[in-house]
Amino acid sequence: MREKWSSRSAFILAAIGSAVGLGNAWRFPGLAAKYGGGAFIFVYFIAMIIIGIPLLMMEISVARHTRLGAPGSMRTLRKGSEGIGWIAVSNSIFVSIYYAAVFAWIIMMFFMSYKFMGLTGNTEAASTLWLDTVKATGDFSGFDIISWPVFGCLILAWVLCYVCIRNGTTTVGKVVKFTVSLPVICLVIMAFRGLMMPGAMEGFAKLFIPDWTALADSNLWVDAIGQVFYSLSTSMAVMFAYGSFLSSDSNVVTDTVIIAFADMFISLLAGIVMFTTMAGTGMLGDMSASGISTAFIIYPQAIVKISDSSVFNMIFAFIFYFCLITLAIDSLFSMVEGASTAISDKFHLNKKKTTLALCINEGIASLIFVTGAGVAILDTVDYFINSYTLIMTGVAEMITAGWFFKTTKILDEINRNTGKFKAPSWWFIPSIRIISPAVLIGLIIWNIITLLKSGGIYGAADGYPLWANIVFGWCIIILSIMSGLIVKLVVKIRSSKGFTEDDRSWDDAGYS
Ligand code: PFF
């Protein structure tokens, strides 16, 4: 018997918990600052309606029907497309390995928040708190330098992750009640404080009043679409897994719209926090599009300038990093859950043991980030996965659903058990079949051109050396693409010991 969500709200909160994460807290505000505030928000909104929501609906509804994770779901659409599901699983494994490292840095900053007590007005010291503790060299040297505080926090990160998902939907359903509501409360508190600061309105205006000239910058479009993808947690096996635990009478249309709009709302709330505090501390011009430097270098400088009271600033730091902890944890465990569901489905394994094995192995892999080279490696892996594999996976999923399967069957599945509010075919079908794949393929090509222009593969990801781009970029992409073949090989070996593959078609797999 497949595990199930205990209630509708458990599913919605878990999906929101996955979608709402560090991408909302710092990437969205950073991009809005870079690309003319409201102009970026406008494009983001359109991309979400045209590309993000249809893909999210497709993933959730197909998995609800098949009651299988990403590879199994893709397989029922088209036999040869199982590999696309495995690429999605690889994405979630690779991203969770480095997301755990960022999570560990956040935990570390949370524990170090008391240090803000003695730093009032001292922006210089605030900006080096994180850098000095992670011992980052800024390049690919320093593999022998280990930050023990990060090491400790990383172990804690994985333990927390395992504890949250050890019993699948049962524990996840309980945890997300807190990890979704607490960050919203923290953000509201911080937004109030931000809005009360003198000059805050300047920040507010910069966030919402569009600078339409920014629309001429093609990078705005590329980044907005990329952000929709990353933020909704699509192409990562997560939404397939979560959808597969739904009961047949759930309402995919309403639930998906709630998830997507909650995600956008929390991005805007985080935007208000960032823009008003930065404006209030006179640092509006310092906002960076890079999330890591915003959270660990720039924002700490703002924290020490928030008030003259060192205790107040310290409390603000605690709330800020606590908020990030609660934002990140449910995104992290959703990725492990996505991978664990896919693997245990495929090989008929005990899910709890699979989850534990994944946490241990991913934990070991993530130890690379406690070294001096950790930040540079993270930068590279993040760049390659976000610019290429995630988008490629989305395109491949859509092409399978739009061209190799009867798309109307998916639309019927989406609209099953809905009331008056249905997904219209004039919106869903063209999006899945033509508009989204075309836009996304254009985006990949654009990213490749930009990469080549920036000095060829030598120059990728902040001018890091070629060998590093090959090892931490291209090799990971190749490994992801080949993951389906690796699984095939394992199946072959296991078949000789009597293992049989689940080979159900769409019509055999479903509830109906
Ligand atoms: N959506 C998360 C964020 O915005 O931070 C990141 C993420 C989580 C991406 C889970 C993908 C995923 F499967």
Side-chain angles (χ1 to χ4, degrees):
M1 194 43 193
R2 192 168 189 82
E3 57 182 309
K4 286 242 160 3
W5 296 108
S6 60
S7 63
R8 179 181 180 198
S9 62
F11 163 69
I12 295 181
L13 286 177
I16 294 178
S18 172
V20 175
L22 305 175
N24 305 60
W26 60 44
R27 201 155 172 257
F28 181 90
L31 292 174
K34 184 172 171 192
Y35 298 118
F40 174 80
I41 298 174
F42 172 75
V43 178
Y44 177 84
F45 181 75
I46 305 280
M48 193 159 87
I49 306 281
I50 298 180
I51 303 172
I53 297 184
L55 180 59
L56 186 61
M57 266 184 196
M58 190 275 277
E59 291 191 352
I60 294 176
S61 65
V62 169
R64 177 184 67 171
H65 176 83
T66 61
R67 281 169 288 169
L68 291 168
S73 289
M74 292 309 295
R75 184 191 175 103
T76 48
L77 295 186
R78 180 175 169 262
K79 253 206 168 116
S81 294
E82 182 179 326
I84 297 167
W86 288 111
I87 303 182
V89 172
S90 313
N91 291 341
S92 58
I93 291 179
F94 287 125
V95 174
S96 55
I97 289 173
Y98 75 77
Y99 210 84
V102 183
F103 185 42
W105 294 339
I106 294 169
I107 297 177
M108 185 185 81
M109 287 300 279
F110 174 74
F111 285 139
M112 294 203 316
S113 292
Y114 73 91
K115 291 197 176 176
F116 283 92
M117 181 101 170
L119 295 182
T120 309
N122 188 350
T123 48
E124 177 73 31
S127 70
T128 53
L129 260 184
W130 171 77
L131 261 181
D132 287 351
T133 323
V134 297
K135 296 190 178 159
T137 54
D139 54 27
F140 289 89
S141 62
F143 279 96
D144 52 341
I145 303 172
I146 291 175
S147 165
W148 293 107
V150 178
F151 180 86
C153 292
L154 192 59
I155 306 278
L156 182 59
W158 282 109
V159 170
L160 285 175
C161 175
Y162 177 69
V163 168
C164 293
I165 48 174
R166 68 190 187 287
N167 288 328
T169 47
T170 323
T171 35
V172 169
K174 288 183 190 143
V175 171
V176 290
K177 283 187 193 144
F178 298 99
T179 56
V180 174
S181 54
L182 286 176
V184 176
I185 296 172
C186 293
L187 285 171
V188 169
I189 296 173
M190 291 191 286
F192 264 112
R193 169 62 201 162
L195 284 165
M196 275 158 38
M197 294 175 83
M201 276 309 134
E202 194 197 330
F204 198 77
K206 188 162 183 224
L207 174 63
F208 286 106
I209 297 178
D211 167 11
W212 295 117
T213 55
L215 291 183
D217 183 351
S218 38
N219 289 319
L220 176 154
W221 297 81
V222 173
D223 281 342
I225 297 167
Q227 174 67 3
V228 165
F229 245 67
Y230 184 74
S231 196
L232 289 179
S233 302
T234 48
S235 314
M236 297 272 280
V238 172
M239 293 301 177
F240 281 107
Y242 280 6
S244 75
F245 307 138
L246 278 173
S247 61
S248 67
D249 56 2
S250 48
N251 184 338
V252 172
V253 177
T254 329
D255 291 1
T256 310
V257 172
I258 295 174
I259 295 162
F261 277 89
D263 184 47
M264 175 139 174
F265 168 75
I266 296 175
S267 288
L268 291 174
L269 189 58
I272 295 175
V273 171
M274 285 287 175
F275 276 71
T276 52
T277 25
M278 295 305 267
T281 50
M283 293 175 58
L284 198 54
D286 296 337
M287 282 188 67
S288 155
S290 147
I292 304 277
S293 69
T294 304
F296 299 116
I297 299 174
I298 300 169
Y299 206 69
Q301 300 180 37
I303 291 177
V304 296
K305 291 208 288 184
I306 279 179
S307 80
D308 294 333
S309 156
S310 53
V311 175
F312 184 90
N313 294 352
M314 178 193 73
I315 294 173
F316 199 91
F318 265 119
I319 296 179
F320 177 68
Y321 289 108
F322 178 71
C323 175
L324 292 185
I325 288 179
T326 52
L327 278 173
I329 187 160
D330 39 17
S331 297
L332 173 63
F333 68 59
S334 72
M335 291 182 253
V336 184
E337 182 71 18
S340 166
T341 303
I343 296 170
S344 53
D345 275 353
K346 177 76 190 180
F347 296 106
H348 317 308
L349 300 174
N350 174 303
K351 171 111 177 283
K352 197 169 177 172
K353 284 188 189 155
T354 312
T355 304
L356 180 62
L358 268 172
C359 286
I360 293 174
N361 286 301
E362 290 194 32
I364 293 170
S366 64
L367 287 178
I368 197 162
F369 296 108
V370 311
T371 67
V375 176
I377 298 174
L378 197 141
D379 212 16
T380 313
V381 181
D382 181 54
Y383 165 78
F384 276 91
I385 293 186
N386 280 305
S387 309
Y388 305 105
T389 8
L390 271 194
I391 307 172
M392 259 163 35
T393 315
V395 173
E397 281 180 16
M398 286 176 160
I399 290 180
T400 301
W403 293 93
F404 292 95
F405 188 74
K406 218 164 172 251
T407 322
T408 47
K409 278 193 181 180
I410 299 177
L411 186 63
D412 290 344
E413 177 61 30
I414 290 173
N415 282 330
R416 202 150 59 80
N417 303 315
T418 48
K420 278 197 188 118
F421 185 44
K422 291 192 185 308
S425 68
W426 57 260
W427 164 76
F428 182 77
I429 308 259
S431 165
I432 291 285
R433 300 197 72 181
I434 299 163
I435 305 174
S436 305
V439 170
L440 296 174
I441 289 172
L443 210 133
I444 297 175
I445 295 175
W446 181 263
N447 283 341
I448 293 178
I449 293 174
T450 318
L451 178 68
L452 295 176
K453 269 199 199 150
S454 73
I457 43 177
Y458 297 91
D462 283 342
Y464 293 138
L466 175 63
W467 73 263
N469 282 291
I470 292 178
V471 174
F472 300 109
W474 298 112
C475 280
I476 287 188
I477 294 188
I478 292 168
L479 212 61
S480 299
I481 295 175
M482 284 181 36
S483 56
L485 293 178
I486 299 172
V487 171
K488 262 200 172 144
L489 201 73
V490 178
V491 167
K492 212 168 191 173
I493 297 168
R494 289 197 146 210
S495 323
S496 58
K497 293 181 194 145
F499 169 79
T500 46
E501 274 188 286
D502 181 350
D503 202 7
R504 282 175 298 166
S505 67
W506 175 270
D507 293 326
D508 303 332
Y511 285 102
S512 49

